[in-house]
């Protein structure tokens, strides 16, 4: 099993990253802020960076250390990767299936099944844990609707129809998301999903967290030899890691949504942690971003029992396990891709 190493998040703006021996060195305005050994890192994520030395980029690429650059607001800019070390036969199978929409639908529907199944059990858990604070009847009704959609998806072999069913499920799930915000209701609410830009604090955290998750999934896919940019549900688009978006679908609710809800409900963030820009976009302030990143790292260290393997692993390894299972399916070692089904 892959060892879960640390991710270095560089949150200060205008920091230059360089290499010194086997260490990454952080420099700002000629002042050395710190240095860390690279052998303990699986990725470096820099926000609002000044740059990185070619030597550091080459070192990270050779050792499969993901080097990701993002804006201060959490918008993905680029990821440095080295020469492909993937199995050529595996990738050829991936490309062949991706070109065939009928075959793509067979893979894509399991991503969607995982997503909706996990959303359903998020709602079920809310009724169990907070029966006096949520509308139990409404939650149960939506849960039944999601079950009905799941049954239809299981026999669906058309990509457009799958996307339509996924959209129906999303509308029902999102209609109850606000009720799962149990604290700070006067400051945090969710009416609808807004992305570019996020128009409220909840959407700002969701967008930021989804970006972190997609980066983790993309690195995991590349690690098992797959091409993170060639997907099955999400079709090819220049610069978009389509397969990473595919695989992360089943983890959005159970990993990212629960994480954001916990930040609010545990009062780890507050209304003063956000600012509104002239165009209406809501962004996190620096302290809130650091709080979220620290909590994200802690979340990735928590243990769970993987529902398919039956083994105890950390949350941070779930993208790696799902990527490995997908690779096995594409190699014909598995009859079907097993989505991550959480209860």
């Amino acid at each position: 099993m892959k060892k879960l190493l640390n991710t270095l998040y560089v949150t200060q703006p205008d920091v230059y990253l360089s290499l010194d021996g086997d260490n990454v060195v952080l420099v700002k305005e000629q002042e050395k802020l710190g240095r860390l050994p690279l052998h303990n890192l699986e990725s470096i994520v820099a926000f609002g960076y000044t740059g990185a030395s070619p030597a550091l980029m080459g070192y990270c690429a050779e050792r499969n250390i993901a080097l990701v650059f993002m804006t201060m607001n959490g918008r993905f800019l680029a990821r440095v990767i080295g020469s492909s070390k993937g199995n050529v036969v595996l990738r050829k199978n991936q490309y062949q299936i991706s070109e065939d929409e009928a075959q793509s639908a067979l893979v894509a529907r399991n991503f969607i099944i995982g997503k909706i199944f996990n959303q359903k059990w998020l709602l079920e858990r809310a009724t169990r844990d907070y029966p006096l604070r949520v509308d139990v009847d409404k939650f149960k009704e939506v849960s039944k609707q999601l079950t009905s959609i799941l049954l239809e998806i299981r026999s669906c072999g058309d990509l457009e129809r799958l996307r339509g069913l996924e959209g129906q499920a999303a509308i029902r799930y999102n209609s109850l998301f606000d009720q799962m915000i149990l604290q700070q209701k006067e400051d945090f609410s969710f009416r609808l999903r807004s992305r570019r830009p996020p128009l409220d604090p909840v959407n700002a955290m969701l967008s930021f967290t989804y970006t972190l998750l997609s980066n983790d999934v993309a690195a995991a896919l590349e690690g098992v030899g797959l091409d993170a940019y060639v997907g099955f549900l999400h079709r090819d688009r220049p610069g978009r890691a389509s397969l990473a978006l595919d695989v992360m679908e089943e983890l959005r609710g159970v990993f990212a949504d629960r994480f954001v809800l916990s930040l609010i409900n545990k009062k780890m963030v507050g209304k003063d942690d956000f600012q509104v820009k002239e165009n209406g976009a809501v962004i996190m302030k620096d302290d809130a971003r650091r709080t979220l990143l620290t909590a994200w790292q802690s979340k990735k260290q928590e243990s769970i029992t993987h529902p398919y393997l039956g083994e105890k692993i950390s949350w941070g390894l779930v993208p790696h396990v799902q990527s490995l299972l997908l690779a096995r399916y594409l190699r014909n070692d598995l009859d079907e891709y097993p989505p991550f089904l959480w209860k």
Side-chain angles (χ1 to χ4, degrees):
M1 179 62 68
K2 176 182 172 67
K3 182 180 179 183
L4 181 62
L5 301 177
N6 296 316
T7 297
L8 170 63
Y9 294 104
V10 183
T11 59
Q12 288 195 44
D14 304 324
V15 171
Y16 185 79
L17 308 175
S18 64
L19 181 70
D20 182 8
D22 293 318
N23 303 285
V24 57
V25 180
L26 284 63
V27 180
K28 182 175 183 179
E29 297 177 354
Q30 308 301 316
E31 178 184 354
K32 188 179 294 185
L33 300 181
R35 56 188 287 136
L36 291 108
L38 284 159
H39 68 267
N40 288 328
L41 298 177
E42 69 175 4
S43 59
I44 300 171
V45 181
F47 296 87
Y49 74 106
T50 296
S53 71
L56 177 65
M57 292 183 186
Y59 186 102
C60 291
E62 288 177 4
R63 290 158 179 80
N64 201 31
I65 300 173
L67 183 54
V68 180
F69 301 111
M70 302 171 71
T71 68
M72 290 302 294
N73 298 335
R75 183 172 61 83
F76 174 80
L77 293 174
R79 186 164 62 91
V80 176
I81 58 175
S83 58
S84 172
K85 299 180 177 63
N87 181 297
V88 64
V89 176
L90 172 63
R91 290 201 176 197
K92 286 179 72 174
N93 286 346
Q94 177 187 355
Y95 300 149
Q96 183 179 11
I97 293 173
S98 178
E99 288 296 314
D100 187 318
E101 289 205 1
Q103 290 189 69
S104 292
L106 298 180
V107 188
R109 71 185 181 190
N110 280 20
F111 298 139
I112 300 174
I113 285 172
K115 177 181 183 178
I116 298 175
F117 180 94
N118 292 334
Q119 289 176 337
K120 167 186 166 63
W121 283 103
L122 272 174
L123 301 182
E124 290 289 347
R125 275 211 175 186
T127 63
R128 185 195 69 187
D129 296 340
Y130 309 105
L132 301 180
R133 307 188 66 177
V134 301
D135 186 339
V136 173
D137 291 339
K138 182 63 175 176
F139 272 62
K140 291 291 186 182
E141 176 59 30
V142 170
S143 178
K144 290 179 181 179
Q145 293 172 358
L146 295 184
T147 298
S148 177
I149 292 174
L150 281 170
L151 292 174
E152 192 168 351
I153 288 173
R154 196 69 190 93
S155 59
C156 180
D158 179 77
L159 273 178
E160 284 304 313
R161 179 60 179 157
L162 284 172
R163 294 189 186 103
L165 292 168
E166 179 195 19
Q168 293 176 31
I171 291 171
R172 288 161 172 77
Y173 169 76
N174 286 337
S175 71
L176 298 179
F177 194 91
D178 187 65
Q179 285 198 48
M180 291 187 282
I181 300 174
L182 305 174
Q183 301 289 339
Q184 308 184 87
K185 294 291 290 185
E186 66 279 5
D187 301 317
F188 293 92
S189 62
F190 181 88
R191 296 291 175 263
L192 52 85
R193 182 79 178 102
S194 57
R195 297 174 178 83
R196 302 182 183 92
L199 300 176
D200 58 68
V202 177
N203 273 293
M205 288 189 288
L206 286 173
S207 292
F208 190 85
T209 304
Y210 290 159
T211 301
L212 295 177
L213 180 58
S214 68
N215 287 332
D216 288 347
V217 173
L221 290 166
E222 296 285 349
V224 301
L226 290 165
D227 188 333
Y229 287 82
V230 178
F232 305 109
L233 175 63
H234 295 83
R235 308 309 287 171
D236 295 348
R237 182 184 299 174
R240 182 173 75 175
S242 295
L243 186 60
L245 295 178
D246 284 358
V247 175
M248 72 174 280
E249 287 294 346
E250 58 203 82
L251 302 178
R252 281 181 187 269
V254 69
F255 200 163
D257 293 359
R258 286 178 68 227
F259 173 75
V260 169
L261 287 169
S262 71
L263 291 180
I264 300 170
N265 292 335
K266 292 179 180 178
K267 300 184 178 180
M268 298 174 68
V269 293
K271 65 176 181 179
D272 295 333
D273 288 319
F274 301 85
Q275 65 183 73
V276 182
K277 301 184 74 173
E278 291 181 0
N279 64 350
V282 176
I283 62 174
M284 287 182 289
K285 295 180 180 178
D286 290 346
D287 287 346
R289 191 179 298 111
R290 282 191 286 270
T291 296
L292 186 150
L293 290 171
T294 300
W296 181 252
Q297 278 294 91
S298 296
K299 175 65 177 177
K300 288 167 65 175
Q301 299 291 338
E302 293 178 6
S303 295
I304 62 161
T305 299
H306 192 276
Y308 181 77
L309 299 180
E311 297 179 11
K312 273 197 171 297
I313 63 170
S314 63
W315 268 109
L317 286 180
V318 172
H320 296 278
V321 172
Q322 294 308 120
S323 298
L324 181 61
L325 292 172
L326 178 60
R328 288 177 178 173
Y329 166 71
L330 295 176
R331 289 193 186 101
N332 296 315
D333 293 334
L334 293 174
D335 293 333
E336 192 172 13
Y337 167 70
F340 182 81
L341 303 178
W342 172 87
K343 275 193 179 183

